[in-house]
Structures are given as structure tokens and as C-alpha cells.
Amino acid sequence: MQYRSFVTDTIGAADDGDIVEFLGAVTDVRRMISNLTLPVARKRGISERALGIIVLVYAGLDRPGLLIEYLNVLPSTVSSDVNKLVDAGLLRRKLSPADRRVSRLEVTRKGIAAQQESLRQLHAAFRARSAGVSLDELHACIATLRKLGGEPQPSVPNPLREAGTTD
């Protein structure tokens, strides 16, 4: 007997084949992002995850504990990546004025340049691939992905958006 599970919601029943197609589509997008960001990271002698850490710190996840929680990795992983980013001049550690025992991370100008280069690569590819996709369709896709991910609101602040706006 073949096992079939179903997820039922307002659009009807999704079977295992739908889930596999969804996972394939998400993996394809992740692979595209990786193909565009990895050269930027390699150019700076860091990992793709380390480049992602720059983006996260810029967005406000400025303490190692927040990065560990968000990335769901071991503390030693974040510590190693942060040390490499500091050594490369892409991040700096700054003591918190409120509690001198707390170290905060800050993106340097060099780190911002790496982030901007990565965003330019992603933007160019995104523009080319999204021809014919309306802004409403894009926003619906984002909302759907958030709903499927269990995060109806962004889990990381978007410093490129003003608080309270979605457009």
C-alpha cells in the first residue's frame, strides 16, 4: 500500500508530490542565490554563511547569541565565522555601552561594500528572472513563503524598509 499524506487548507488537498515540488522549487531558488553570492564571498576569502552573517548583523542581529539562535548552529560555528569576518575587516566588535560585558557586532564599510556587491548580483539576476511577475504576485509569494515557514512576519528586520511598510 502506498503511503499518501495530505495537507488540507483553503486551496484543497496537497499530496506528497506537491510537497516534493515545493521543496524542489525552494531548493532551486536557494541554489540560484548561492550561485550568485558564493563568488562575492570567495572574493573576500569568506564562506557564504559568513556573507549571510554580514547581512544579518546589518539587519540588527548584532550579538553572537542572536546569530546562533537564528542560524541554528553551534556557538563555535558563529564564533569562528565572526572571528574570520573581524580579521578580514568586514565586522568589528564593539562593547555595549549599557553592559561592558556584552559584545555587539558592527558591519564595517568594507563589510557594507561586500553586502552591497552581493545585493547587486542578486538584484540583477532577480530582475532578469522576474520579468512578467507583478509586484502583487511577488508580495503574494513572499506572504505564502512566510505562511509556509510559520513566520507570518519577517524574522529578521529589513533595514531597507521603513518600519510598518511592506511595499
Side-chain angles (χ1 to χ4, degrees):
M1 172 162 43
Q2 181 180 1
Y3 172 76
R4 275 180 86 130
S5 64
F6 292 93
V7 176
T8 304
D9 56 21
T10 57
I11 61 171
D15 65 17
D16 289 349
D18 295 315
I19 302 303
V20 169
E21 285 187 43
F22 167 75
L23 293 173
V26 169
T27 301
D28 290 344
V29 170
R30 179 68 197 119
R31 192 175 65 240
M32 178 209 50
I33 291 168
S34 182
N35 287 338
L36 295 165
T37 58
L38 192 56
V40 175
R42 284 187 176 151
K43 179 177 167 183
R44 286 170 172 75
I46 60 174
S47 68
E48 185 180 4
R49 182 182 56 241
L51 182 59
I53 287 173
I54 292 171
V55 173
L56 293 171
V57 170
Y58 184 79
L61 299 181
D62 63 350
R63 291 189 324 268
L66 295 173
L67 294 168
I68 291 163
E69 184 179 326
Y70 181 79
L71 295 170
N72 194 27
V73 295
L74 294 171
S76 59
T77 301
V78 167
S79 185
S80 174
D81 283 342
V82 166
N83 287 340
K84 288 175 186 172
L85 289 165
V86 169
D87 291 345
L90 300 166
L91 288 182
R92 72 175 136 259
R93 288 184 182 89
K94 205 171 173 186
L95 293 177
S96 170
D99 185 348
R100 306 289 287 168
R101 296 169 296 170
V102 175
S103 176
R104 298 218 181 255
L105 301 170
E106 188 175 87
V107 181
T108 64
R109 285 185 184 172
K110 192 174 171 184
I112 289 171
Q115 175 184 329
Q116 288 175 342
E117 181 181 354
S118 178
L119 286 174
R120 277 192 303 275
Q121 295 288 341
L122 290 167
H123 189 221
F126 186 75
R127 283 275 185 225
R129 288 183 171 100
S130 67
V133 175
S134 73
L135 193 55
D136 286 341
E137 288 173 309
L138 174 62
H139 288 175
C141 177
I142 293 167
T144 301
L145 288 171
R146 286 195 177 129
K147 192 181 288 187
L148 289 169
E151 298 282 343
Q153 298 299 317
S155 56
V156 175
N158 183 347
L160 302 178
R161 296 272 185 243
E162 293 180 34
T165 64
T166 57
D167 292 8

